[in-house]
Amino acid sequence: MELTGRLTASLSLETLPQRAHATVHLIDWSRLAVPEARRLRELGFDEGVEVEVLHRARLGRGPVACRIGRMTVALRRAVAAAILVAPAPAASAA
């Protein structure tokens, strides 16, 4: 299946390098509590949305700050791990 092939190229938002742009490929809604899933939807997280990791808490234990659209959002690591992203192709400087 083509989808399976693309999933192997995806990584979680939690592991996306800082300042790297990516597109949300898949959100594993089953890994999230209902309030967390609702919050993500309200913030605009869905397949095809562009995101960028701005900052991570030290020692790998705290939240992940990311940009979605013009918003900066802090996500718990478990929530960020449920979001699979595909790195955006390198764009030429305009």
Side-chain angles (χ1 to χ4, degrees):
M1 292 187 148
E2 185 177 314
L3 178 62
T4 306
R6 284 188 281 163
L7 278 177
T8 58
S10 298
L11 55 138
S12 73
L13 184 60
E14 177 189 24
T15 59
L16 184 69
Q18 280 187 219
R19 300 295 180 186
H21 293 265
T23 302
V24 175
H25 180 69
L26 179 76
I27 300 175
D28 187 354
W29 300 109
S30 66
R31 292 177 58 183
L32 303 172
V34 173
E36 292 171 328
R38 183 180 316 121
R39 178 174 176 252
L40 283 183
R41 287 183 180 109
E42 288 171 352
L43 292 172
F45 278 89
D46 206 354
E47 294 177 9
V49 172
E50 292 184 22
V51 294
E52 173 188 9
V53 171
L54 301 175
H55 182 73
R56 284 187 179 80
R58 293 182 186 213
L59 303 175
R61 300 189 72 177
V64 175
C66 64
R67 177 172 296 140
I68 175 172
R70 297 185 317 175
M71 293 183 298
T72 300
V73 180
L75 300 174
R76 291 185 315 122
R77 293 256 176 185
V79 173
I83 301 171
L84 297 180
V85 297
S92 60

